[in-house]
């Protein structure tokens, strides 16, 4: 990647405005999409399609779980809203919290703290340090930050934030992950929304500067484009935009009303649902005023996904039921939808199993001709792609982020064993440790890929078995009678096989990744925020430490 392309990441970006014409076109597409869903449902649920009632129900669950979730997403797009920027008032007391943990590279903190020191709005940066390493204190002091030694506090990142809240007094706190490089206008862009006394937190987009490093990095970034564009904008329109673990600015009173920052594997969602339950409003501004890191190797990505898969189920099973009465309809729907995202591990597993039940044992869930299925499914697929493409009008960095995002889909498929593991751990209430996501590539062939290899071998063995069986053991009269069903199921299984091969490729590529420091190429002084709020203000103030 050339330097000019990298520099394109370091410009202020924002999603397009929401106007009546675009929303009208979107509404027409969504209505047409819902009609296609109803048409497909009328065909799918015909009595003559049922062969094995149990397997038919399983197959129905696989398809319709995804379709229902997609339809809910379409409807939420109709609520897309982009808040009007509000200039920040002078004199607000603002803190930036960033945390350090043992093993994280010191050079990364050099870059992050340097960037924090150049944020225009007066603030105090705090380094919440859990390393016990004196060098971190020196780096903090070098860039005018306050070093708080917080070794051994339970609750990982959230525990350190809660401890720091007791030692500080600022009214607004930006939680910034240490791998994120904030732009100088970050606080100018978000603080104005707090003029509304009901606003508890303001979230902005997450974007990344190392996505060029590998197949995994690119795919992991692709998975986030839609969420930080039209998805969160839709949730913003009904006051249920969720807080993410980084780039979120909180009102202290909102955090205190929720009992502090939530602790857990999905501590950001815990915090968000508690703040919403206390009656606070949330604001999502689809702007890029910071860029961070995304996992570069498949092993690190899978570990991150396992943590999140276990964490969101924790929110779904423990937090949401307790707070149910205090949440609005859209908030309930939002947290339940997000909380069940990782059940795709279960549906994907069932998706993989069904073709082999037929190919090996002759168990057929439904009496559906493959061509008939495709014919009735195509309108739904067409409008699914059309809506997915159209809402890309509201991506935050459209020139970079537009596309079919096939790498992201591959990674989602490749992680089905991880998602399934997270779901099972949640069902049996088993804990896993909170481990910060690796900030550099970890070279190696991750064991998380083993289920994918096993599935590929199963596909190859099955294909060989079918060819030999039909060549030497199937009567001539039965060949034409069974061809449609057999090869239809093979085609069904082949879709998953192609995705599996790419997942294995991502793991193979991780064997040769070097542990580069991508932040060393960033030139803080060249971050371009032309045309956005700026000003020559003092960079830090430390008198608020208590």
């Amino acid at each position: 990647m050339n330097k000019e392309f990298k520099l394109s990441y370091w410009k202020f970006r924002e999603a397009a405005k929401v106007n009546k014409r675009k929303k009208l076109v979107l509404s027409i597409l969504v209505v047409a999409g819902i009609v296609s869903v109803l048409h497909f449902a009328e065909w799918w649920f015909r009595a003559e399609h049922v062969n094995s009632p149990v397997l038919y129900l399983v197959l129905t669950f696989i398809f319709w779980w995804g379709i229902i979730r997609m339809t809910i997403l379409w409807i939420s797009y109709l609520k897309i809203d982009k808040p009007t920027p509000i200039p920040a008032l002078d004199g607000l007391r603002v803190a930036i919290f960033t945390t350090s943990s043992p093993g994280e590279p010191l050079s990364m903190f050099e870059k992050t703290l340097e960037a924090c020191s150049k944020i225009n709005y007066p603030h105090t940066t705090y380094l919440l340090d859990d390393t016990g390493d004196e060098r971190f204190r020196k780096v903090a002091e070098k860039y005018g930050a306050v070093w708080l030694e917080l070794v051994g506090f339970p609750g990982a990142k959230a525990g350190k934030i809660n401890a720091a809240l007791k030692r500080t007094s600022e009214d607004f706190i930006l939680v910034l992950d240490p791998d994120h490089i904030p732009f100088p206008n970050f606080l100018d862009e978000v603080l104005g929304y707090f003029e509304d006394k009901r606003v508890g937190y303001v979230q902005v987009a997450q974007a990344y500067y190392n996505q060029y490093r590998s197949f995994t990095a690119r795919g992991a970034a692709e998975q986030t484009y839609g969420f930080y564009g039209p998805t969160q904008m839709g949730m913003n329109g009904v006051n249920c935009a969720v807080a993410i673990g980084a780039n979120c600015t909180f009102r202290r009173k909102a955090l205190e009303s929720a009992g502090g920052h939530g602790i857990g594997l999905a501590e950001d969602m815990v915090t968000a649902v508690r703040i919403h339950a206390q009656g606070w409003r949330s604001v999502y501004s689809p702007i890029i005023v910071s860029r961070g890191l995304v996992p570069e190797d498949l092993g690190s990505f899978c570990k991150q996904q396992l943590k999140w898969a276990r964490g969101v189920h924790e929110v779904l099973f423990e937090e949401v039921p307790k707070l149910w009465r205090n949440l609005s309809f859209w908030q309930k729907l939002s947290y339940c939808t997000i909380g069940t995202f990782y059940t795709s591990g279960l549906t994907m597993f069932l998706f993989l199993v069904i073709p082999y039940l037929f190919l090996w044992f002759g168990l057929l869930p439904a009496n559906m001709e493959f061509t008939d299925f495709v014919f009735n499914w195509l309108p739904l697929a067409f409008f699914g792609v059309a809506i997915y493409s159209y809402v890309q009008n509201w991506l935050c960095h459209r020139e970079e982020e537009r596309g079919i995002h096939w790498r992201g889909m591959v990674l989602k498929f490749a992680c089905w064993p991880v998602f399934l593991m997270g779901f099972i751990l949640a069902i049996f209430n088993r804990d896993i440790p909170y481990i910060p996501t690796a900030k550099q590539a970890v070279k190696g062939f991750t064991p998380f890929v083993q289920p994918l290899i096993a599935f590929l071998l199963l596909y190859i063995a099955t294909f060989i078995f079918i060819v030999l069986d039909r060549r030497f053991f199937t009567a001539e009269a039965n060949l034409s009678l069974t061809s449609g069903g057999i090869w239809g199921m093979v085609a069904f299984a082949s879709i998953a096989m192609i995705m599996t091969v790419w997942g294995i490729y991502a793991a193979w590529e991780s064997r040769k990744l070097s542990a580069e420091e991508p932040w060393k190429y960033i030139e803080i002084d060249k971050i371009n925020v032309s045309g956005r709020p700026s000003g020559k203000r003092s960079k830090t103030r430390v008198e608020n430490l208590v």
Side-chain angles (χ1 to χ4, degrees):
M1 174 175 294
N2 58 50
K3 189 174 182 180
E4 181 181 359
F5 187 70
K6 289 181 183 177
L7 287 175
S8 72
Y9 290 164
W10 301 101
K11 295 180 181 179
F12 175 85
R13 307 284 179 177
E14 61 181 325
K17 294 180 179 179
V18 181
N19 59 46
K20 292 182 179 180
R21 181 185 64 81
K22 287 182 178 179
K23 290 199 75 171
L24 176 61
V25 174
L26 177 60
S27 299
I28 293 172
L29 287 173
V30 169
V31 170
I34 292 174
V35 171
S36 73
V37 170
L38 296 175
H39 166 77
F40 187 62
E42 187 278 329
W43 175 82
W44 181 278
F45 291 104
R46 292 176 183 173
E48 64 265 25
H49 287 160
V50 180
N51 187 60
S52 167
V54 173
L55 291 179
Y56 177 79
L57 288 174
V58 172
L59 185 62
T60 298
F61 171 69
I62 293 171
F63 272 94
W64 286 94
W65 181 251
I67 291 172
I68 290 170
R69 291 177 61 86
M70 182 176 65
T71 305
I72 292 172
L73 185 62
W74 290 351
I75 294 171
S76 75
Y77 286 154
L78 300 179
K79 304 292 185 177
I80 280 179
D81 174 68
K82 182 182 179 184
T84 302
I86 301 174
L89 294 175
D90 291 331
L92 300 179
R93 301 168 66 244
V94 185
I96 298 176
F97 286 178
T98 191
T99 61
S100 56
S101 298
E104 292 182 316
L106 181 65
S107 58
M108 180 181 71
F109 288 86
E110 284 260 8
K111 194 67 67 172
T112 297
L113 292 173
E114 179 188 359
C116 288
S117 73
K118 296 187 177 183
I119 289 179
N120 294 319
Y121 198 94
H123 64 281
T124 304
T125 300
Y126 296 90
L127 176 60
L128 316 185
D129 184 29
D130 189 26
T131 66
D133 188 336
E134 182 69 12
R135 295 177 302 163
F136 283 79
R137 180 184 64 80
K138 293 179 180 179
V139 168
E141 292 175 351
K142 176 181 178 181
Y143 293 105
V146 176
W147 176 72
L148 294 180
E149 186 174 28
L150 300 172
V151 177
F153 279 84
K157 170 185 169 181
K160 285 179 279 191
I161 290 173
N162 288 333
L165 285 172
K166 296 176 181 179
R167 302 188 185 190
T168 58
S169 62
E170 287 85 358
D171 298 314
F172 303 96
I173 297 99
L174 164 61
V175 175
L176 186 75
D177 275 359
D179 61 295
H180 279 254
I181 309 297
F183 292 9
N185 62 326
F186 193 120
L187 292 175
D188 292 290
E189 293 285 345
V190 301
L191 291 175
Y193 297 114
F194 287 106
E195 284 190 39
D196 183 345
K197 302 300 182 183
R198 300 170 299 171
V199 171
Y201 62 83
V202 179
Q203 177 70 54
V204 299
Q206 285 199 42
Y208 309 97
Y209 62 87
N210 69 327
Q211 53 191 289
Y212 64 91
R213 283 272 293 153
S214 67
F215 182 93
T216 297
R218 182 68 183 187
E222 286 179 357
Q223 289 186 356
T224 69
Y225 295 159
F227 180 76
Y228 289 116
T231 300
Q232 277 273 57
M233 291 174 70
M235 292 192 289
N236 184 69
V238 287
N239 188 35
C240 60
V242 295
I244 310 301
N247 296 346
C248 191
T249 306
F250 295 94
R251 187 189 297 271
R252 178 183 287 269
K253 289 182 179 179
L255 279 174
E256 291 174 346
S257 72
H261 199 286
I263 292 176
L265 295 172
E267 79 286 339
D268 45 5
M269 276 192 65
V270 173
T271 306
V273 69
R274 289 177 180 177
I275 288 177
H276 275 140
Q278 290 297 319
W280 295 94
R281 295 189 59 80
S282 58
V283 173
Y284 177 71
S285 182
I287 58 175
I288 296 177
V289 285
S290 171
R291 284 193 182 266
L293 297 175
V294 71
E296 296 179 359
D297 64 280
L298 186 63
S300 296
F301 180 76
C302 287
K303 290 177 183 178
Q304 179 195 69
Q305 295 299 303
L306 178 60
K307 178 178 68 176
W308 291 352
R310 176 66 182 91
V312 298
H313 286 118
E314 184 177 81
V315 175
L316 179 66
F317 295 145
E318 297 181 18
E319 292 295 328
V320 172
K322 290 188 298 186
L323 304 172
W324 187 258
R325 292 184 178 180
N326 298 326
L327 299 173
S328 70
F329 168 78
W330 282 103
Q331 287 167 352
K332 292 172 183 174
L333 185 62
S334 173
Y335 286 112
C336 287
T337 303
I338 295 173
T340 54
F341 173 81
Y342 291 101
T343 53
S344 59
L346 175 62
T347 58
M348 193 65 68
F349 172 73
L350 297 173
F351 173 83
L352 295 175
V353 167
I354 280 182
Y356 296 95
L357 292 177
F358 174 73
L359 295 172
W360 282 98
F361 306 108
L363 298 175
L364 187 65
N367 296 314
M368 297 177 183
E369 288 290 336
F370 185 72
T371 53
D372 198 22
F373 166 81
V374 172
F375 178 78
N376 285 277
W377 171 76
L378 273 177
L380 174 59
F382 172 81
F383 285 108
V385 172
I387 294 170
Y388 185 80
S389 300
Y390 191 78
V391 296
Q392 290 185 20
N393 282 303
W394 291 288
L395 296 177
C396 293
H397 187 177
R398 292 179 295 283
E399 300 82 1
E400 170 71 12
E401 297 175 356
R402 281 184 181 272
I404 60 174
H405 305 148
W406 65 275
R407 299 174 191 84
M409 290 187 283
V410 165
L411 284 191
K412 181 179 179 181
F413 176 86
C415 283
W416 71 262
V418 176
F419 297 167
L420 182 60
M421 187 186 304
F423 178 72
I424 293 172
L425 289 171
I427 293 295
F428 290 99
N429 198 27
R430 298 298 175 88
D431 294 329
I432 60 174
Y434 183 101
I435 301 174
T437 304
K439 305 302 188 291
Q440 295 173 283
V442 179
K443 185 184 294 187
F445 196 64
T446 175
F448 283 108
V449 80
Q450 291 174 359
L452 301 184
I453 295 174
F455 172 72
L456 179 60
L457 294 176
L458 174 63
Y459 175 87
I460 294 171
T462 302
F463 189 82
I464 293 172
F465 165 75
I466 290 171
V467 170
L468 293 178
D469 180 66
R470 295 180 69 77
R471 175 69 178 83
F472 298 107
F473 302 104
T474 303
E476 187 75 23
N478 288 334
L479 285 176
S480 59
L481 293 175
T482 58
S483 288
I486 290 288
W487 296 115
M489 278 296 186
V490 170
F492 192 36
S494 296
I495 297 171
M497 184 276 297
I498 294 170
M499 302 286 276
T500 296
V501 170
W502 277 108
I504 294 172
Y505 168 78
W508 184 262
E509 183 193 45
S510 299
R511 295 172 62 252
K512 58 183 180 180
L513 288 176
S514 58
E516 187 179 288
E517 296 183 346
W519 50 84
K520 70 181 181 181
Y521 301 114
I522 301 169
E523 300 176 66
I524 302 297
D525 291 332
K526 292 188 177 181
I527 295 177
N528 185 351
V529 294
S530 57
R532 304 306 297 180
S534 62
K536 294 184 179 179
R537 300 185 176 105
S538 59
K539 301 301 188 290
T540 60
R541 58 185 183 196
V542 300
E543 69 273 14
N544 296 316
L545 184 63
V546 296

